[in-house]
PDB file of all heavy atoms in Angstrom:
ATOM      1  N   PRO J   9      -9.394  -1.498  13.997  1.00 98.00           N
ATOM      2  CA  PRO J   9      -8.353  -0.917  14.803  1.00 98.00           C
ATOM      3  C   PRO J   9      -7.254  -0.318  14.056  1.00 98.00           C
ATOM      4  O   PRO J   9      -6.830  -0.876  13.077  1.00 98.00           O
ATOM      5  CB  PRO J   9      -7.856  -1.989  15.623  1.00 98.00           C
ATOM      6  CG  PRO J   9      -8.419  -3.323  14.989  1.00 98.00           C
ATOM      7  CD  PRO J   9      -9.569  -2.968  14.299  1.00 98.00           C
ATOM      8  N   ARG J  17       0.355   6.273  10.785  1.00 96.00           N
ATOM      9  CA  ARG J  17       0.875   4.862  10.958  1.00 96.00           C
ATOM     10  C   ARG J  17       1.456   4.369   9.587  1.00 96.00           C
ATOM     11  O   ARG J  17       0.979   4.545   8.578  1.00 96.00           O
ATOM     12  CB  ARG J  17      -0.122   3.963  11.396  1.00 96.00           C
ATOM     13  CG  ARG J  17      -1.129   3.551  10.330  1.00 96.00           C
ATOM     14  CD  ARG J  17      -2.187   2.567  10.861  1.00 96.00           C
ATOM     15  NE  ARG J  17      -1.696   1.221  11.117  1.00 96.00           N
ATOM     16  CZ  ARG J  17      -2.438   0.083  10.960  1.00 96.00           C
ATOM     17  NH1 ARG J  17      -3.766   0.197  10.432  1.00 96.00           N
ATOM     18  NH2 ARG J  17      -1.942  -1.109  11.221  1.00 96.00           N
ATOM     19  N   TYR J  22       0.543   2.279   4.307  1.00 97.00           N
ATOM     20  CA  TYR J  22      -0.806   2.746   4.280  1.00 97.00           C
ATOM     21  C   TYR J  22      -0.950   4.126   3.801  1.00 97.00           C
ATOM     22  O   TYR J  22      -2.092   4.614   3.640  1.00 97.00           O
ATOM     23  CB  TYR J  22      -1.425   2.684   5.839  1.00 97.00           C
ATOM     24  CG  TYR J  22      -1.328   1.348   6.397  1.00 97.00           C
ATOM     25  CD1 TYR J  22      -0.493   1.170   7.467  1.00 97.00           C
ATOM     26  CD2 TYR J  22      -2.019   0.342   5.813  1.00 97.00           C
ATOM     27  CE1 TYR J  22      -0.454  -0.206   8.066  1.00 97.00           C
ATOM     28  CE2 TYR J  22      -1.934  -0.912   6.388  1.00 97.00           C
ATOM     29  CZ  TYR J  22      -1.164  -1.190   7.596  1.00 97.00           C
ATOM     30  OH  TYR J  22      -1.075  -2.436   8.031  1.00 97.00           O
ATOM     31  N   ASN J  73     -12.928  -2.994   6.407  1.00 98.00           N
ATOM     32  CA  ASN J  73     -11.511  -3.185   6.638  1.00 98.00           C
ATOM     33  C   ASN J  73     -11.362  -3.524   8.115  1.00 98.00           C
ATOM     34  O   ASN J  73     -11.320  -2.634   8.847  1.00 98.00           O
ATOM     35  CB  ASN J  73     -10.696  -2.055   6.102  1.00 98.00           C
ATOM     36  CG  ASN J  73      -9.211  -2.260   6.417  1.00 98.00           C
ATOM     37  OD1 ASN J  73      -8.801  -3.368   7.057  1.00 98.00           O
ATOM     38  ND2 ASN J  73      -8.386  -1.446   5.837  1.00 98.00           N
ATOM     39  N   GLY J  75      -8.983  -4.336   9.707  1.00 98.00           N
ATOM     40  CA  GLY J  75      -7.624  -4.143  10.289  1.00 98.00           C
ATOM     41  C   GLY J  75      -7.043  -5.444  10.831  1.00 98.00           C
ATOM     42  O   GLY J  75      -7.282  -6.531  10.112  1.00 98.00           O
ATOM     43  N   ALA J  76      -6.391  -5.445  11.870  1.00 98.00           N
ATOM     44  CA  ALA J  76      -5.711  -6.731  12.383  1.00 98.00           C
ATOM     45  C   ALA J  76      -6.795  -7.784  12.747  1.00 98.00           C
ATOM     46  O   ALA J  76      -6.464  -8.952  12.799  1.00 98.00           O
ATOM     47  CB  ALA J  76      -4.862  -6.362  13.671  1.00 98.00           C
ATOM     48  N   HIS J  79      -7.336 -11.092  10.822  1.00 98.00           N
ATOM     49  CA  HIS J  79      -6.451 -12.271  10.985  1.00 98.00           C
ATOM     50  C   HIS J  79      -6.884 -13.062  12.174  1.00 98.00           C
ATOM     51  O   HIS J  79      -6.241 -14.091  12.369  1.00 98.00           O
ATOM     52  CB  HIS J  79      -5.091 -11.841  10.969  1.00 98.00           C
ATOM     53  CG  HIS J  79      -4.752 -10.840   9.921  1.00 98.00           C
ATOM     54  ND1 HIS J  79      -4.904 -11.026   8.563  1.00 98.00           N
ATOM     55  CD2 HIS J  79      -4.204  -9.526  10.128  1.00 98.00           C
ATOM     56  CE1 HIS J  79      -4.536  -9.881   7.975  1.00 98.00           C
ATOM     57  NE2 HIS J  79      -4.129  -8.968   8.808  1.00 98.00           N
ATOM     58  N   HIS J  99      -8.394  -4.097   1.996  1.00 98.00           N
ATOM     59  CA  HIS J  99      -7.200  -3.761   2.685  1.00 98.00           C
ATOM     60  C   HIS J  99      -6.443  -2.727   1.869  1.00 98.00           C
ATOM     61  O   HIS J  99      -6.301  -2.935   0.694  1.00 98.00           O
ATOM     62  CB  HIS J  99      -6.342  -5.096   2.941  1.00 98.00           C
ATOM     63  CG  HIS J  99      -7.087  -6.066   3.630  1.00 98.00           C
ATOM     64  ND1 HIS J  99      -7.229  -5.936   5.066  1.00 98.00           N
ATOM     65  CD2 HIS J  99      -7.756  -7.220   3.317  1.00 98.00           C
ATOM     66  CE1 HIS J  99      -7.980  -6.938   5.496  1.00 98.00           C
ATOM     67  NE2 HIS J  99      -8.284  -7.690   4.450  1.00 98.00           N
ATOM     68  N   ILE J 100      -5.933  -1.725   2.556  1.00 98.00           N
ATOM     69  CA  ILE J 100      -5.236  -0.730   1.880  1.00 98.00           C
ATOM     70  C   ILE J 100      -3.842  -1.276   1.338  1.00 98.00           C
ATOM     71  O   ILE J 100      -3.411  -0.923   0.316  1.00 98.00           O
ATOM     72  CB  ILE J 100      -4.924   0.476   2.869  1.00 98.00           C
ATOM     73  CG1 ILE J 100      -6.326   1.097   3.330  1.00 98.00           C
ATOM     74  CG2 ILE J 100      -4.033   1.476   2.330  1.00 98.00           C
ATOM     75  CD1 ILE J 100      -6.220   2.029   4.521  1.00 98.00           C
ATOM     76  N   SER J 101      -3.223  -2.016   2.184  1.00 98.00           N
ATOM     77  CA  SER J 101      -1.936  -2.578   1.826  1.00 98.00           C
ATOM     78  C   SER J 101      -2.074  -3.897   1.016  1.00 98.00           C
ATOM     79  O   SER J 101      -3.230  -4.397   1.041  1.00 98.00           O
ATOM     80  CB  SER J 101      -0.980  -2.727   2.949  1.00 98.00           C
ATOM     81  OG  SER J 101      -1.578  -3.841   3.743  1.00 98.00           O
ATOM     82  N   VAL J 103      -1.795  -7.143   1.469  1.00 98.00           N
ATOM     83  CA  VAL J 103      -1.558  -8.029   2.529  1.00 98.00           C
ATOM     84  C   VAL J 103      -0.946  -9.446   2.041  1.00 98.00           C
ATOM     85  O   VAL J 103      -0.123  -9.966   2.819  1.00 98.00           O
ATOM     86  CB  VAL J 103      -2.882  -8.343   3.361  1.00 98.00           C
ATOM     87  CG1 VAL J 103      -3.159  -7.334   4.356  1.00 98.00           C
ATOM     88  CG2 VAL J 103      -4.075  -8.562   2.373  1.00 98.00           C
ATOM     89  N   ARG J 110      -0.526 -12.446   8.260  1.00 98.00           N
ATOM     90  CA  ARG J 110      -1.583 -11.584   7.541  1.00 98.00           C
ATOM     91  C   ARG J 110      -2.126 -12.446   6.455  1.00 98.00           C
ATOM     92  O   ARG J 110      -2.974 -12.032   5.752  1.00 98.00           O
ATOM     93  CB  ARG J 110      -0.910 -10.220   7.042  1.00 98.00           C
ATOM     94  CG  ARG J 110      -0.543  -9.278   8.147  1.00 98.00           C
ATOM     95  CD  ARG J 110      -0.057  -7.959   7.506  1.00 98.00           C
ATOM     96  NE  ARG J 110       0.911  -7.413   8.396  1.00 98.00           N
ATOM     97  CZ  ARG J 110       0.589  -6.598   9.601  1.00 98.00           C
ATOM     98  NH1 ARG J 110      -0.654  -6.366   9.799  1.00 98.00           N
ATOM     99  NH2 ARG J 110       1.485  -6.126  10.231  1.00 98.00           N
TER     100      ARG J 110
HETATM  101  C1  DQA I 201      -4.883  -3.773   6.852  1.00 51.46           C
HETATM  102  C2  DQA I 201      -3.807  -4.907   6.916  1.00 51.46           C
HETATM  103  C3  DQA I 201      -3.917  -5.557   8.266  1.00 51.46           C
HETATM  104  O1  DQA I 201      -2.949  -6.609   8.318  1.00 51.46           O
HETATM  105  C4  DQA I 201      -3.474  -4.594   9.347  1.00 51.46           C
HETATM  106  O2  DQA I 201      -3.549  -5.174  10.538  1.00 51.46           O
HETATM  107  C5  DQA I 201      -4.277  -3.349   9.265  1.00 51.46           C
HETATM  108  C6  DQA I 201      -4.557  -2.716   7.974  1.00 51.46           C
HETATM  109  C7  DQA I 201      -4.826  -2.936   5.511  1.00 51.46           C
HETATM  110  O3  DQA I 201      -5.637  -2.144   5.330  1.00 51.46           O
HETATM  111  O4  DQA I 201      -3.982  -3.230   4.754  1.00 51.46           O
HETATM  112  O5  DQA I 201      -4.535  -2.736  10.282  1.00 51.46           O
HETATM  113  O6  DQA I 201      -6.105  -4.220   7.070  1.00 51.46           O
END
Side-chain angles (χ1 to χ4, degrees):
R17 77 181 285 214
Y22 305 116
N73 181 349
H79 318 300
H99 300 287
I100 294 168
S101 66
V103 275
R110 292 185 209 276

